């Protein structure tokens, strides 16, 4: 094991003999040892390094080991780092104060090498295991929406209790890359994958920036949910931002752009778990979802189509402008629906200014 791979232990003790004894014990056990003669010196050292564990003497002049333990636990990076305290006696009041400050275990002087190595080694193994779990958790979090994470975390006290399906009013946004099948036939798969990943990443950023959450990826598109009092406004602003940001991305080649279509509808859905006990999907279902998906499919490249329900909710906003409502038959829907093409209101204002200037 190289020195860089050895766990670093910071020993803080004002007695030279104690520092020497601990250093020899820990070096022999394969640890890299750093020493500090006082609590202030230790606080200065950790500004430049991050030990894997601390061994603190409880009886130091000025700031003792217990106060230093408090100071370490106040820092986010050391909230779970193993901390052992050394004491010349097993005074219950002293030990109670040490554990209250956040220490994990204690050592009694004179130090027994086997006990030092065993207790420190056990704590570091737990610390390493926790760090591994945190890395896995962070990686999994990239595959699961924040909304689903909250649902899972809410079950921590009773893992057997699944949330019941709920009917709620939401606004649903679907996006889809236009002509994806044709693109897949003329573009190298790795390049196409890179482009799709970039486009979907851009859309996801827009969704979360406008207080929505991604329900799922649908191959070359996104299904996003918005809720709350401003859900329709949030969804519309999100769609327009998607158009601007996707439109600014470089094309795949001189002749191959990646245009997007968006559909938005608002109404009631049922949100809950779908699937078996081994594989669940927490999602929204209902006619509102189906209509939003169909509106997306009807949209032209770089076009945002909203339903009449969305139009009614946001039409008084100065942020948006709409084309004339169209009554159309959309695949899989039995009755005609009225849809509107959404754009930014500022574009209409700019056109009006230009016309006035021409006159």
């Amino acid at each position: 094991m190289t020195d860089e791979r050895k766990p670093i232990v910071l020993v803080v003790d004002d007695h030279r003999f104690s520092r020497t004894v601990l250093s020899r014990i820990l070096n022999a056990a394969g640890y890299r040892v750093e020493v500090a003669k006082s609590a202030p010196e230790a606080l200065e050292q950790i500004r430049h390094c991050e030990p894997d564990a601390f061994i603190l003497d409880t009886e130091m002049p000025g700031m003792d080991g217990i106060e230093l333990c408090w100071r370490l636990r106040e820092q986010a990076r050391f909230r779970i780092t193993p901390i052992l305290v050394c004491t010349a006696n097993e005074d219950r009041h002293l030990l109670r104060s040490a554990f209250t400050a956040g220490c994990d275990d204690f050592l009694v002087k004179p130090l027994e090498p086997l006990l030092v190595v065993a207790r420190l080694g056990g704590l570091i193994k737990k610390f390493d295991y926790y760090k591994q779990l945190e890395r896995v958790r962070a990686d999994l979090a990239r595959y699961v929406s924040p909304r689903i994470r909250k649902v899972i975390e809410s079950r921590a006290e009773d893992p057997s209790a699944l949330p019941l399906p709920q009917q709620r009013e939401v606004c649903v946004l679907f996006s889809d890359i236009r002509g994806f099948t044709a693109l897949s036939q003329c573009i190298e798969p790795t390049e196409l994958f890179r482009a799709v990943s970039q486009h979907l990443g851009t859309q996801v950023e827009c969704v979360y920036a406008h207080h929505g959450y991604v329900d799922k990826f649908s191959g070359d598109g996104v299904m996003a949910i918005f809720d709350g009092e401003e859900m329709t406004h949030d969804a519309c602003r999100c769609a327009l931002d998607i158009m601007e940001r996707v439109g600014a991305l470089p094309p795949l080649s001189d002749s191959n752009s990646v245009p997007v279509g968006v559909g938005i509808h608002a109404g009631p859905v049922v949100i809950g778990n779908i699937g078996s006990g081994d594989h669940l999907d927490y999602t929204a279902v209902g006619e509102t979802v189906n209509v939003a998906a169909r509106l997306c499919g009807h949209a032209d490249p770089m076009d945002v189509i909203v339903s009449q329900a969305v139009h009614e909710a946001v039409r008084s906003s100065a942020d948006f402008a709409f084309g004339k409502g169209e009554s159309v038959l959309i695949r899989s829907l039995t009755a005609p629906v009225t849809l509107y093409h959404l754009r930014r209101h500022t574009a209409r204002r700019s056109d009006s200014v230009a016309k006035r200037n021409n006159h």
Side-chain angles (χ1 to χ4, degrees):
M1 183 186 298
T2 64
D3 286 342
E4 287 75 19
R5 293 179 61 85
K6 292 180 179 179
I8 301 173
V9 181
L10 179 57
V11 174
V12 188
D13 197 312
D14 63 318
H15 289 97
R16 181 179 178 183
F17 179 75
S18 296
R19 295 196 303 270
T20 301
V21 170
L22 271 170
S23 295
R24 289 176 177 173
I25 293 173
L26 297 174
N27 282 322
Y31 294 101
R32 177 181 163 190
V33 183
E34 301 287 341
V35 297
K37 302 175 185 178
S38 66
E41 184 179 327
L43 292 173
E44 179 63 26
Q45 283 187 231
I46 62 174
R47 292 176 59 189
H48 311 289
C49 72
E50 189 166 331
D52 297 288
F54 296 89
I55 299 180
L56 315 177
D57 182 36
T58 59
E59 299 173 350
M60 293 185 289
M63 186 189 303
D64 61 19
I66 294 176
E67 184 177 349
L68 177 57
C69 186
W70 279 110
R71 295 284 191 93
L72 293 173
R73 291 304 191 210
E74 287 174 350
Q75 301 187 38
R77 60 187 178 133
F78 296 130
R79 282 180 184 160
I80 60 170
T81 303
I83 298 178
L84 289 93
V85 296
C86 287
T87 177
N89 58 74
E90 297 185 55
D91 178 79
R92 290 187 177 183
H93 176 73
L94 181 68
L95 293 178
R96 186 182 299 112
S97 298
F99 282 110
T100 301
C103 84
D104 297 290
D105 208 339
F106 67 94
L107 301 167
V108 179
K109 298 178 181 180
L111 298 172
E112 169 59 46
L114 181 62
L115 194 58
V116 172
V117 173
R119 290 189 172 179
L120 178 63
L123 290 174
I124 287 182
K125 282 183 179 180
K126 290 179 180 178
F127 182 49
D128 288 341
Y129 180 64
Y130 179 85
K131 289 191 292 185
Q132 291 175 17
L133 288 178
E134 283 297 294
R135 286 193 291 268
V136 171
R137 182 176 180 271
D139 287 339
L140 286 174
R142 301 175 65 186
Y143 291 87
V144 180
S145 76
R147 187 63 58 93
I148 295 177
R149 291 205 301 273
K150 288 182 180 179
V151 171
I152 295 173
E153 289 169 358
S154 68
R155 297 175 53 217
E157 295 183 0
D158 184 6
S160 63
L162 290 173
L164 297 174
Q166 294 181 334
Q167 182 167 321
R168 296 168 55 188
E169 292 285 329
V170 301
C171 192
V172 183
L173 179 152
F174 272 89
S175 71
D176 182 68
I177 294 177
R178 307 287 87 158
F180 180 78
T181 302
L183 284 172
S184 66
Q185 294 174 351
C186 62
I187 296 175
E188 183 70 22
T190 54
E191 178 65 12
L192 181 63
F193 185 90
R194 182 201 63 78
V196 170
S197 178
Q198 183 182 33
H199 278 65
L200 293 182
T202 298
Q203 294 178 44
V204 169
E205 291 173 0
C206 290
V207 169
Y208 289 116
H210 290 279
H211 318 296
Y213 68 93
V214 174
D215 184 275
K216 62 171 61 70
F217 292 105
S218 55
D220 56 334
V222 167
M223 172 184 168
I225 303 292
F226 298 81
D227 52 18
E229 294 182 0
E230 295 293 314
M231 62 185 186
T232 49
H233 292 77
D234 289 337
C236 289
R237 293 188 185 103
C238 174
L240 293 172
D241 279 355
I242 286 174
M243 290 301 160
E244 287 187 2
R245 294 188 58 182
V246 166
L249 294 175
L252 292 178
S253 66
D254 293 338
S255 58
N256 289 312
S257 61
V258 186
V260 174
V262 172
I264 308 174
H265 182 46
V269 299
V270 175
I271 297 180
N273 292 292
I274 294 178
S276 69
D278 295 327
H279 190 109
L280 295 172
D281 186 16
Y282 188 77
T283 188
V285 297
E287 184 67 12
T288 299
V289 176
N290 297 336
V291 172
R294 299 309 176 198
L295 293 179
C296 177
H298 192 78
D300 292 327
M302 303 308 289
D303 184 22
V304 179
I305 288 181
V306 304
S307 67
Q308 187 168 6
V310 173
H311 174 261
E312 290 296 320
V314 303
R315 66 178 180 175
S316 61
S317 172
D319 294 336
F320 311 121
F322 300 91
K324 185 178 180 181
E326 305 174 39
S327 180
V328 299
L329 281 170
I330 294 182
R331 182 171 60 88
S332 300
L333 300 181
T334 57
V337 298
T338 302
L339 55 82
Y340 298 83
H341 298 269
L342 171 68
R343 62 181 185 274
R344 287 199 188 277
H345 200 281
T346 52
R348 185 170 64 185
R349 289 180 177 175
S350 298
D351 292 341
S352 298
V353 172
K355 288 179 181 178
R356 286 198 302 270
N357 290 338
N358 290 335
H359 290 304

